[in-house]
Amino acid sequence: MERSRRSFLKILGISTLGLGTLSAVDLLAKAEMGKAEYSPNPKGMTGKRWALVVDVKKLDEETTQKAIEACHLIHNVPDYGDEEEIKWIWTDKYEHVFPGQEHAYLAEEIEEKPFLLLCNHCSNPPCVRVCPTQATWQRGDGIVMMDQHRCIGCRYCMAACPFGARSFNWKDPRTTYFKDKEPPNPKYPTRTKGVVEKCNLCAERLAVGEMPACVEAVKDSKAIVFGDLEDPHSEARELLHERFAIRRRPELGTSPNVYYIV
Amino acid sequence: MLETALKGSKKYWILIGVLFGLHGIGVTAFLYQLNKGLTVTGMSRDVSWGLYIAQFTFLVGVAASAVMVVLPYYLHNVKEFGKITILGEFLAVAAVNMCLMFILVDLGKPMRMLNVILHPTPNSILFWDMVVLNGYLFLNIIIGWVVLSAERKQVEPPKWVKPLIYLSIPWAVSIHTVTAFLYAGLPGRHFWLTAIMAARFLASAFAAGPALLILLCLIVRRVSKFDPGKEAIQKVANIVIYALIISIFFVLLEIFTAFYSQIPGHMHGFVYTFVGLNGYGNLVPWTWASAVMAVVATLMLLCPPLRKNETTLAISCLLVFFSLWIEKGITLVITGFIPNPFDTITEYVPTLPEVAITVGIWATGFLILTILYKIAVSVKEEIAS
Ligand code: SF4
Ligand code: SF4
Ligand code: SF4
């Protein structure tokens, strides 16, 4: 897979060696780097298994909104507010985040807490398994990526993702939501109608050595910690060592990489 | 042989005209959808597949069911089926064509369809579905055409088609098995996540497809001099009743497992379709209509005088067809998305453009079927005279 992807890149003459991926995201990140023609940014972060640890105790309405806004502005996610909504990161209540684990006597504090939801960048991702075009694929560092130039819009990945992490562009954001207003981040491409999108773990930011936008947005409270789980000294790993954390629907075997400290 | 499709009675041309008109409406609606995006459908973030994929699923079954006349004829030498294998094969051709059209209109980016071939991905069931469906289409076109041409010249069909015919038998089973795997392998969609899915699909297909074939045979006999034969029709009716009972049995197995185990995820889908869940129940009337039709059809088909009488047989076949069309062409696919991964419910109702496209594709399929049947029937009449 890696090989064919590489040769495809060469054909197009836009090889970003080292990243070895073709996505609007990387192209953009590269355009931004500018100077390093064919090598990755030396400041770029590398890891083997990126993960997020969300400390729910530290989250409230305000901090979660900050995280959501940061992500959606930086990635030009339209806000339709209906059943066709597109969301990369959002909140929901415990009973919806961990269905089947709620009970009638849930601690009040947990019951009403806003949980942050996003793609889990599963280690064994069913969305990647089912995609007929490899438009959804997994990088060596565990990030589950989307290539919106290859996606045929079959939505098989949406049926396969047990976390509801994926959104489909039912209409064209460029001619609807962004018709009269500029997309907030001119450096990030808007999508067209007919393709799927989701959180990309800020791959374009990691490539230039920046933290994911949602992590950055709440960094004062340290409510979301980002790190490499394969690195025993990473902040995320140490946090998981100290505090009890759970994951969504672990019984399905997808091995999610977003952890919740409750 | 194609020229035989160009000479027909007035009624034939009226039928062609009507189907072509409906096809045109479908095309218009599709152009509208292409322009606006799939937002013109009733699908949503939660129910991300709808009528299109459900029709596709049902029609794969119709296509596969050709095997139910081909297999007895070629493997068990059931002579009565000799006259109608061609009708089964041409029905399969029309059905696969509809399947491919339904997939196409469901894509968000139909012009990128070839990406499935440009970037072949063996771990995706959808990739395999494309492979087996196209293979099955070609097999049936070749077999049907070659055998019919030979019949017209009143010679034995060439030897090389025999292996293709034998190949088409397991191939028919494969198309519906692979289609069931599209659903049965997804973690977290409890309604679909069941090992019996492929078996259920095959059973319901072998009831619905042959039921349609009986109806088509009865129509052919009315409008032409070609008689598929009373015996053949009765034999197909036997297949329908066996398959229907097995199909009902399989559904009852699912219901037992869900409700005896009392695991909420397994029960929710059935609760939603049969009585409604948390106040949502769009599919309840459909589910009951399907269940009642299946039971009535079973009783009618089990009763020999009603089965032998071709009027009541036709009614039973209509009931079987519509019952299973509701089951696979509506409820099975939609219920898989309910409740959603957050244990909440978004319901789905198709929109007008969506229905227009669906009707358009059915009409296109029947247009293909009418032309193919006209050719087959003309050849049969020619030989008889
Ligand atoms: S959360 Fe869903 S979309 Fe994200 S990697 Fe896991 S299965 Fe794929
Ligand atoms: S919608 Fe796109 S990303 Fe999802 S499975 Fe289909 S081609 Fe792959
Ligand atoms: S990691 Fe990046 S893309 Fe993902 S939710 Fe956070 S900000 Fe959005």
Side-chain angles (χ1 to χ4, degrees):
Chain A
M1 183 179 124
E2 193 64 11
R3 182 176 292 269
S4 70
R5 199 175 275 286
R6 284 257 165 77
S7 55
F8 182 56
L9 280 169
K10 282 202 193 105
I11 296 167
L12 291 178
I14 44 173
S15 170
T16 48
L17 275 178
L19 288 173
T21 53
L22 170 71
S23 73
V25 173
D26 285 335
L27 286 181
L28 237 111
K30 207 178 100 26
E32 197 185 37
M33 294 190 281
K35 8 178 162 120
E37 269 289 298
Y38 288 107
S39 61
N41 187 322
K43 280 194 283 180
M45 286 195 238
T46 51
K48 294 205 180 82
R49 188 174 156 197
W50 293 124
L52 291 177
V53 184
V54 180
D55 191 338
V56 183
K57 289 222 169 81
K58 292 185 178 152
L59 287 177
D60 55 27
E61 255 336 295
E62 198 190 331
T63 34
T64 53
Q65 283 315 316
K66 260 202 241 162
I68 295 171
E69 200 169 304
C71 173
H72 287 183
L73 285 178
I74 227 166
H75 295 114
N76 296 326
V77 177
D79 179 12
Y80 297 130
D82 58 14
E83 278 166 12
E84 298 186 355
E85 70 186 333
I86 302 211
K87 46 190 187 187
W88 287 25
I89 176 167
W90 68 102
T91 58
D92 210 333
K93 292 203 303 192
Y94 178 86
E95 59 174 318
H96 297 146
V97 180
F98 299 97
Q101 297 186 47
E102 76 277 19
H103 56 78
Y105 315 104
L106 209 59
E108 209 172 307
E109 181 202 11
I110 288 293
E111 203 178 345
E112 292 304 323
K113 266 273 177 211
F115 279 71
L116 268 178
L117 299 179
L118 66 159
C119 168
N120 287 293
H121 296 275
C122 307
S123 294
N124 183 15
C127 54
V128 171
R129 189 152 65 232
V130 302
C131 177
T133 62
Q134 297 154 45
T136 281
W137 85 100
Q138 192 174 30
R139 300 202 318 194
D141 58 3
I143 300 184
V144 174
M145 294 288 283
M146 268 294 312
D147 181 349
Q148 272 105 5
H149 292 107
R150 187 184 283 193
C151 174
I152 58 172
C154 65
R155 310 188 297 292
Y156 197 7
C157 53
M158 293 177 79
C161 170
F163 303 101
R166 298 177 155 258
S167 308
F168 182 71
N169 285 277
W170 300 97
K171 48 191 165 234
D172 192 342
R174 294 173 191 172
T175 58
T176 55
Y177 190 76
F178 294 123
K179 191 169 176 225
D180 303 313
K181 67 176 131 211
E182 280 301 306
N185 180 7
K187 292 193 206 137
Y188 198 83
T190 49
R191 274 69 69 190
T192 57
K193 66 171 182 280
V195 296
V196 164
E197 61 182 82
K198 65 166 194 77
C199 151
N200 64 356
L201 210 60
C202 286
E204 82 283 6
R205 291 172 59 90
L206 303 185
V208 293
E210 287 170 350
M211 278 284 175
C214 54
V215 177
E216 182 96 16
V218 300
K219 68 168 185 288
D220 295 341
S221 65
K222 283 203 161 194
I224 314 176
V225 169
F226 171 81
D228 181 5
L229 289 189
E230 300 267 312
D231 171 5
H233 304 297
S234 72
E235 208 183 336
R237 177 84 175 259
E238 277 173 1
L239 194 57
L240 286 181
H241 192 67
E242 283 163 23
R243 309 273 303 275
F244 173 71
I246 53 174
R247 298 182 294 174
R248 295 169 68 194
R249 310 182 84 175
E251 75 281 6
L252 297 178
T254 70
S255 201
N257 283 309
V258 174
Y259 292 77
Y260 296 90
I261 297 175
V262 285
Chain B
M1 284 194 300
L2 263 179
E3 74 283 357
T4 52
L6 297 173
K7 291 179 295 217
S9 64
K10 198 161 158 222
K11 273 194 196 142
Y12 169 69
W13 286 111
I14 290 174
L15 178 62
I16 296 274
V18 169
L19 291 174
F20 202 77
L22 290 172
H23 162 84
I25 292 173
V27 170
T28 315
F30 179 56
L31 290 177
Y32 173 67
Q33 177 185 293
L34 263 188
N35 183 263
K36 296 276 176 204
L38 286 161
T39 180
V40 304
T41 70
M43 293 183 272
S44 60
R45 195 179 188 278
D46 285 337
V47 184
S48 46
W49 281 340
L51 207 51
Y52 301 149
I53 292 296
Q55 301 310 295
F56 154 80
T57 308
F58 176 73
L59 284 163
V60 174
V62 173
S65 69
V67 75
M68 281 290 130
V69 284
V70 171
L71 185 148
Y73 178 64
Y74 286 101
L75 293 190
H76 300 287
N77 210 10
V78 178
K79 291 256 168 19
E80 293 86 346
F81 284 170
K83 281 166 119 180
I84 58 168
T85 49
I86 187 71
L87 299 185
E89 283 152 359
F90 280 173
L91 175 59
V93 172
V96 178
N97 268 301
M98 286 189 256
C99 291
L100 297 175
M101 283 185 272
F102 274 117
I103 291 274
L104 184 75
V105 299
D106 186 68
L107 294 182
K109 288 272 178 214
M111 46 298 206
R112 291 188 191 160
M113 180 183 51
L114 287 181
N115 278 3
V116 179
I117 297 163
L118 293 175
H119 311 287
T121 312
N123 46 276
S124 171
I125 300 294
L126 203 55
F127 166 75
W128 288 109
D129 217 21
M130 183 220 55
V131 171
V132 291
L133 275 176
N134 282 296
Y136 191 65
L137 178 62
F138 287 114
L139 275 179
N140 276 290
I141 291 180
I142 294 170
I143 295 169
W145 202 258
V146 168
V147 173
L148 193 65
S149 307
E151 207 175 322
R152 194 183 195 197
K153 297 193 198 94
Q154 310 212 3
V155 294
E156 283 288 302
K159 281 223 165 47
W160 58 263
V161 286
K162 262 289 164 66
L164 291 187
I165 291 170
Y166 291 137
L167 180 64
S168 80
I169 294 170
W171 203 290
V173 177
S174 83
I175 62 169
H176 219 23
T177 305
V178 173
T179 304
F181 285 177
L182 282 179
Y183 300 100
L186 303 181
R189 304 274 178 202
H190 295 297
F191 194 62
W192 296 338
L193 191 80
T194 157
I196 211 174
M197 193 60 102
R200 236 181 102 183
F201 268 33
L202 286 164
S204 71
F206 293 160
L212 178 59
L213 192 62
I214 291 179
L215 292 168
L216 292 170
C217 285
L218 293 175
I219 294 172
V220 162
R221 186 160 67 194
R222 270 213 158 173
V223 300
S224 78
K225 290 192 217 74
F226 169 57
D227 180 8
K230 220 173 159 55
E231 280 300 297
I233 289 175
Q234 284 301 319
K235 283 226 152 73
V236 180
N238 284 338
I239 293 173
V240 172
I241 180 66
Y242 271 111
L244 181 62
I245 290 172
I246 295 173
S247 171
I248 295 171
F249 176 61
F250 284 168
V251 175
L252 293 175
L253 293 183
E254 298 257 34
I255 291 176
F256 169 80
T257 304
F259 289 91
Y260 196 79
S261 71
Q262 291 280 307
I263 298 174
H266 291 273
M267 296 191 292
H268 282 163
F270 290 99
V271 172
Y272 174 70
T273 49
F274 277 99
V275 292
L277 187 63
N278 303 344
Y280 296 94
N282 272 352
L283 293 181
V284 174
W286 292 93
T287 309
W288 283 105
S290 169
V292 170
M293 284 195 274
V295 172
V296 173
T298 311
L299 296 175
M300 283 177 71
L301 285 168
L302 279 176
C303 174
L306 293 184
R307 189 171 66 237
K308 300 242 157 61
N309 176 320
E310 282 182 352
T311 314
T312 42
L313 176 64
I315 294 170
S316 319
C317 287
L318 276 174
L319 291 175
V320 173
F321 182 81
F322 282 109
S323 165
L324 296 174
W325 174 72
I326 291 174
E327 192 209 0
K328 246 160 83 206
I330 297 183
T331 56
L332 183 112
V333 172
I334 295 163
T335 309
F337 292 102
I338 292 168
N340 68 10
F342 312 102
D343 229 1
T344 55
I345 295 177
T346 307
E347 288 200 288
Y348 160 83
V349 181
T351 58
L352 197 61
E354 207 174 355
V355 172
I357 292 174
T358 303
V359 171
I361 295 178
W362 274 97
T364 314
F366 273 92
L367 190 64
I368 297 171
L369 186 75
T370 307
I371 294 170
L372 290 175
Y373 270 29
K374 175 72 176 53
I375 295 172
V377 167
S378 302
V379 169
K380 303 268 184 189
E381 285 175 336
E382 205 178 293
I383 303 164
S385 62

